[in-house]
Amino acid sequence: MSKTPRVAAIHDLSGFGRCSLTIVIPVLSAMGVQCCPLPTAYLSTHTGGFTGNTFLDMTDQLAAAMAHWKSLQLTFSAVYTGFMGNARQMELAADFIRYAREWGSLAVVDPVMGDHGRLYRTYTPEMCRAMAALAEEADLIVPNRTEAALLLELPYEEASALSPEDAVRQLSRGGQRSVVLTGVSTREGGTGAACYDRSDGTVSFVQRDFVGRAFHGTGDLFASVLTGALVRGGSLRAAAELAAEFVELCAAHTAPQDLPLREGIDFEPLLGQLARRARGGKGDKA
Ligand code: PXL
């Protein structure tokens, strides 16, 4: 049996713009983790800053691929979900998590729905309700502040006024799931995350410099590194540290290039560094 951790990744594939599977696959691979994609949709570009993108809904393929994998009794270290095309896909993802959990799999749900106080263009209220139901299945959720408000069913301003500690505790639903809330700033010029670890009930913070601008794809980059570090045996806090550090590194590399924001965060040249950090450095016990 291979010792390489294996992750089932349920996200969209956007051809241009750097997000979801074009981040998840290279990041997990660089970290020494086998990524098995279950694409929810193919889009020519992501939906942030581009108009006229194509959208091929892959719900039927998703259901068929999951059924095939179940028939093969495939096992995974984690199921990691992100951007969904419709509410049905979230039900399928929840069902797949329940299957994989029987074999000991961790469920990481990035409840991708929006950012900066606004829903992504393709998300409907019905999809947000389905995402909340999917998040019920999670061992760990990784919302940004917009998604936290949606999960807490609070107006954005009200949710943002909660202290990060209160927010993650409320999002944990009485300690049922771990939470890494992103977009948390604890000092001037800083950004990072608040982490609620359900294994010991503690809240901790990771904080790095906010460099440049809010590049597209940073949420996917953060959650992918986090997931990779966790399945390699790191603690939640160490995994969040590594994720925040790598996002900062990539932001510092991207900022001076002055690329259009919609082209995303220029992480590819830094994957070698991530691979070295994942193998030996802080953020990973393996
Ligand atoms: O990064 C989140 C994301 C993922 N997938 C698609 C998106 C977005 C955000 O805009 O449009 C297709």
Side-chain angles (χ1 to χ4, degrees):
M1 168 77 170
S2 169
K3 283 214 289 209
T4 304
R6 187 192 289 155
V7 171
I10 311 176
H11 300 250
D12 71 283
L13 178 61
S14 287
F16 187 78
R18 291 193 184 99
C19 69
S20 31
L21 285 176
T22 59
I23 291 181
V24 178
I25 297 171
V27 163
L28 291 179
S29 298
M31 296 180 79
V33 174
Q34 180 190 0
C35 179
C36 304
L38 285 162
T40 57
Y42 172 76
L43 294 81
S44 50
T45 66
H46 60 66
T47 64
F50 294 101
T51 52
N53 60 276
T54 68
F55 190 106
L56 174 67
D57 181 294
M58 295 181 69
T59 311
D60 292 346
Q61 276 299 310
L62 191 64
M66 287 171 173
H68 186 212
W69 286 7
K70 285 182 189 174
S71 77
L72 295 171
Q73 301 200 324
L74 295 185
T75 62
F76 299 91
S77 311
V79 178
Y80 165 33
T81 75
F83 181 98
M84 299 283 164
N86 57 48
R88 171 81 187 122
Q89 294 185 348
M90 302 186 216
E91 290 167 13
L92 288 169
D95 179 68
F96 195 73
I97 284 173
R98 287 190 288 270
Y99 154 80
R101 174 169 289 133
E102 286 180 29
W103 301 82
S105 171
L106 184 78
V108 179
V109 172
D110 183 351
V112 175
M113 290 183 278
D115 207 355
H116 310 295
R118 295 177 56 192
L119 279 183
Y120 293 133
R121 196 155 33 82
T122 54
Y123 273 73
T124 62
E126 183 207 6
M127 287 171 70
C128 294
R129 283 192 293 277
M131 189 61 93
L134 172 59
E136 295 283 324
E137 301 290 337
D139 298 300
L140 166 66
I141 58 170
V142 194
N144 60 31
R145 305 227 47 154
T146 304
E147 292 149 356
L150 291 161
L151 292 177
L152 292 172
E153 298 184 61
L154 292 173
Y156 179 64
E157 289 70 24
E158 214 175 298
S160 303
L162 290 173
S163 74
E165 169 144 11
D166 284 349
V168 288
R169 286 198 187 279
Q170 287 185 34
L171 284 162
S172 78
R173 289 197 165 275
Q176 282 177 50
R177 57 191 180 195
S178 293
V179 180
V180 175
L181 174 65
T182 61
V184 170
S185 170
T186 59
R187 62 170 164 83
E188 183 73 23
T191 186
C195 312
Y196 171 83
D197 189 338
R198 74 168 178 196
S199 69
D200 58 8
T202 56
V203 174
S204 61
F205 292 89
V206 298
Q207 199 64 188
R208 309 293 299 194
D209 289 340
F210 180 85
V211 188
R213 301 159 70 197
F215 301 110
H216 198 92
T218 48
D220 294 328
L221 189 60
F222 183 96
S224 299
V225 176
L226 183 80
T227 302
L230 284 174
V231 296
R232 286 182 57 93
S235 69
L236 186 67
R237 176 167 173 109
E241 287 276 8
L242 181 63
E245 185 191 318
F246 190 62
V247 170
E248 181 193 45
L249 189 70
C250 295
H253 173 77
T254 309
Q257 303 182 53
D258 223 12
L259 301 170
L261 275 189
R262 67 186 191 178
E263 292 194 13
I265 185 152
D266 185 22
F267 69 96
E268 293 91 347
L270 300 165
L271 285 172
Q273 289 196 45
L274 178 64
R276 282 189 290 280
R277 296 286 283 106
R279 267 202 308 272
K282 196 171 58 153
D284 196 323
K285 286 196 230 146

